[in-house]
Amino acid sequence: MGTKISRRKFLKLGSIAAFSPFVRLGDTVKVSQKAPDPVDYGVERRVPLRCRMCAQQCPAIGVVKDGRLIKLEANPHLPYSGICGRSRSTPAALYNPDRLKYPLLRVGKRGEGKFKRISWDEALERIASVLRKYRERGEPEKVVYFPRFTSAAGLDKPFWHLYGTPNILSYADTCHSAGHDWGLGAYFGHPMTPGAFWMDYPNARFGVLAMRNPAGGLCVYQFGTLFGEGRRNGVRLVAVDVRFPNEAVEGAGRKWLPIRPGTDGAFHLALAHEIVKRRGYDQEYLIKETNACMLIDPETLEPYAPEIQEKVDPKTKKKKKHVRYRVWDQAQNRAVFKDEAQKPALRGEFTVEGRKVITAFEAIVQALEKYTPEWAEKITTIPANEIRAVAEELIKGKPRVFVDTGWYSERYGNVMRQFHSLGLVNTLLGVWEKKGGVGGIPKVKLHGPLPKVPKPKALQITKYYQKKKGYPFLNPKAGRRFAFEALRTGEPYEPKVIFAMGQNFIGGSAGSPEMTKLLDKVELIVCMTPFMDESCLYADIILPDTLFPERDEALHFKFKQSMPTVAMHMKAVEPPFEARPGSWVILELARRVLQPEEFEKYFGEFARGGWEVGWRRQLEGLEKKHPGLTLERLKREGVWYGKQSYKIKKKTYTGEVEIFSLLFLEKWKKLKAEGHPHADHAHPLPLWVPPFWWEEAQGKLKEDEFILCTGFSPLNSFTGGQTRNNPLLLEIWKEIGVDRVWIHPEKAQKLGISDGDVVEVFPAHNPRAVARARVWVTPLVHPEVLFSYYGVAPGIYPQLKRYLAFMPEYGVNINHFSKFHFAPLQGGHATQDVIIKVRRV
Ligand code: SF4
């Protein structure tokens, strides 16, 4: 079986998607589609929009002919323009007969998947009456809203806040959440999401792909195109991955190092060890730009005699701590504040007023001593000489090198430490904000499409767990499973209504079998989505959503790229049957639930003028600062972009890149004083912390045990029907074997499993949760790993197949198997951190 499909074949399939007989177009044309405007016949219309086949929102052009979307193209008005294979399958998603067509009401038990058709009016009134009840009781916070592929962006949050609930909980805890964000954020003093950095592949000499596969995974705009340019420019690459990331490492100067799952932190620590041992760090950068010279007490790790000021930020009015610290000035041979020093010492131990002090860098060097490549080899299975070779390449090429700052990361309980050590390597090499290194993503912040609404007063569930339950790094905007923890414990209160818009909170959450058992405590579950999913099976009301070409949307500015960009999204075609956009639903609920004067004050103008009003509000006053950023240009070209930038915002206490994080020090001390069992996850010095599975298996898996690792391909993503139930992608998947699990030949032989066998896959802790998959026996996977593409099949919810005819029968969704556990201190999903078994059918 091959893992690739030819470009020609893909494009051919793409071009027939809108007309292919397997899409059963007759269903939709006859009943649902509004007749195309007669002036449209035979003419191609091009509409600026943003692709939503995954979450990246790449600016694109929808090509419409005879009232139907026939294809998506990259937006040509961008210097880095591109769309991926998934986006080319948009017509097959749009004209898929499995689209949800009408509002549905549950008639069977929750989970059974039995529903009857109801009218929109009945659906909305049923929802509104429950919402009114909780508002009138003074308990609006008991309503929890889960957005993801929301079709009401810009309107939903103001509505729920006006309604009175602070519980708007995104999906980020399954994706990057605080493990990535604070592991790297420690160096900059604020959370750094995957959307905070860009890798300068075109100008880099060498890169390590440790936590991302930019070619074989997801993102295109702009990371994929930068990556492609880098490859054409000859960037050398090493990919550290549990599976062979084919597209990323093909060609000369590129290599794959298979790694044991969840041990990337050990690899990074050994790199740091080697960089320090060979004095391969950027001394000037460390002295000037970081707090490496800070004098600290070697016992308590506290800075020596700092000056601490609290300043009020003129913009936010929030208090901000500023730390002025002392260094050892080699010119004066004494300790002085850094801004007074002529020649600060980077390393060393000194005596100041009878006290022993060392530099923060000295403490880091000492902490790294034990993390030799030989030590890391035992943990990661990567040979020590390979680790040394990677370190050498990094040292030689600095600062035009990097360890890629990574992507979907919430895979293991130790993820925050993994990213902390990754950040250390990049800081030692001085690659931040450098050409050929790592840049910060610049953004133009737009206004909301509605006037600003007051914030709800009630306590947010996630804030309770952040402040009171030992998750100080939890991102309160994410953490959707804490709503289920609240259901389990009753703390701080039990949610009574779940409203999910484009978020498959069951299929997309680690520990979903445990979560479904808690749903009995919820009075009303509403799911709005274009396709049935695992969460819909438990819904009381299902609302048929539009797909992105069928609606206008708010302007968007959060792109993962090197230039500030704003992009338009306009409706290209009519929605099918009774599908409606979320913005319409939110407006209808606002009308029915809010007081008339509240509605008029915040929604009135929008309700009368539509998105034209919203877009103008979003851009108010911005053209002065950003010439050319006008609505007219956005409507015409679809995008506006500014200048490329490398700058990374710092909000640390010292105002520098903190190689020794004072915020981590503060949290670590507090957690230790409280006796938190995982306080060391916030340790300010380099530290190896194993994943959950390692502790459970005491570092050694049995012969029939695996770690199930999941990944994307450019042709699949997520647990949404637009990709996993897509007739075009299904055809292509047959070629890449998307329904297969990859098993290493050594392990397959021991288990008597052959290529093409069908196996049952189940977690060791719950042998009744069983999914079936075909096997690909291949050396392109680490022997301890069972690799599968992400979320492609019905898995342990076979009843889904009734609604999703184009979903592959076999395949595995990791979320069905993982435990309902939380990554320490930050509350992420630790999706893959669970032991899996396999048996032949
Ligand atoms: S990466 Fe691909 S699927 Fe995702 S938004 Fe961009 S073009 Fe669409």
Side-chain angles (χ1 to χ4, degrees), residues 745-798:
E746 263 173 34
K747 203 97 176 212
Q749 199 189 11
K750 280 182 191 154
L751 296 175
I753 292 172
S754 307
D755 197 48
D757 280 355
V758 174
V759 291
E760 286 189 336
V761 182
F762 57 97
H765 68 277
N766 183 10
R768 278 179 304 171
V770 178
R772 289 187 168 199
R774 285 186 203 284
V775 170
W776 185 31
V777 177
T778 171
L780 301 182
V781 66
H782 190 281
E784 287 166 44
V785 166
L786 187 72
F787 176 79
S788 100
Y789 287 109
Y790 184 77
V792 289
I796 64 168
Y797 300 95

Side-chain angles (χ1 to χ4, degrees), residues 495-525:
K496 289 292 168 202
V497 177
I498 290 176
F499 192 122
M501 189 176 290
Q503 189 186 119
N504 181 2
F505 57 94
I506 298 294
S509 293
S512 55
E514 280 98 323
M515 286 165 60
T516 55
K517 288 183 203 144
L518 297 164
L519 289 174
D520 283 347
K521 297 184 181 178
V522 179
E523 181 182 338
L524 176 68
I525 302 171

Side-chain angles (χ1 to χ4, degrees), residues 50-60 72 82-88 90 218-221 548 714 717-718 723:
R50 302 186 304 267
C51 175
R52 305 294 302 277
M53 292 297 274
C54 81
Q56 302 316 311
Q57 307 211 25
C58 301
L72 232 61
I83 53 169
C84 73
R86 292 182 303 279
S87 69
R88 301 209 182 253
T90 303
L218 266 183
C219 46
V220 166
Y221 178 67
F548 64 95
S717 68
F718 301 117
T723 47

Side-chain angles (χ1 to χ4, degrees), residues 686-736:
L687 183 74
W688 160 245
V689 172
F692 289 153
W693 74 260
W694 182 276
E695 287 176 335
E696 194 181 328
Q698 292 173 347
K700 193 159 171 41
L701 292 173
K702 296 194 189 107
E703 260 181 15
D704 63 338
E705 290 178 342
F706 296 86
I707 301 303
L708 176 60
C709 293
T710 190
F712 300 116
S713 90
L715 298 172
N716 86 303
S717 68
F718 301 117
T719 54
Q722 69 270 31
T723 47
R724 71 169 168 168
N725 187 54
N726 187 304
L728 167 63
L729 294 180
L730 181 68
E731 285 305 299
I732 300 166
W733 285 356
K734 285 177 191 162
E735 293 204 20
I736 66 167

Side-chain angles (χ1 to χ4, degrees), residues 125-156:
E125 200 38 49
R126 278 177 181 267
I127 299 165
S129 69
V130 179
L131 294 183
R132 282 194 296 266
K133 181 174 86 183
Y134 282 101
R135 200 181 199 216
E136 279 158 21
R137 278 189 191 170
E139 298 177 330
E141 70 277 12
K142 295 199 169 169
V143 177
V144 176
Y145 177 61
F146 292 149
R148 188 174 198 189
F149 284 90
T150 166
S151 54
L155 306 190
D156 49 2

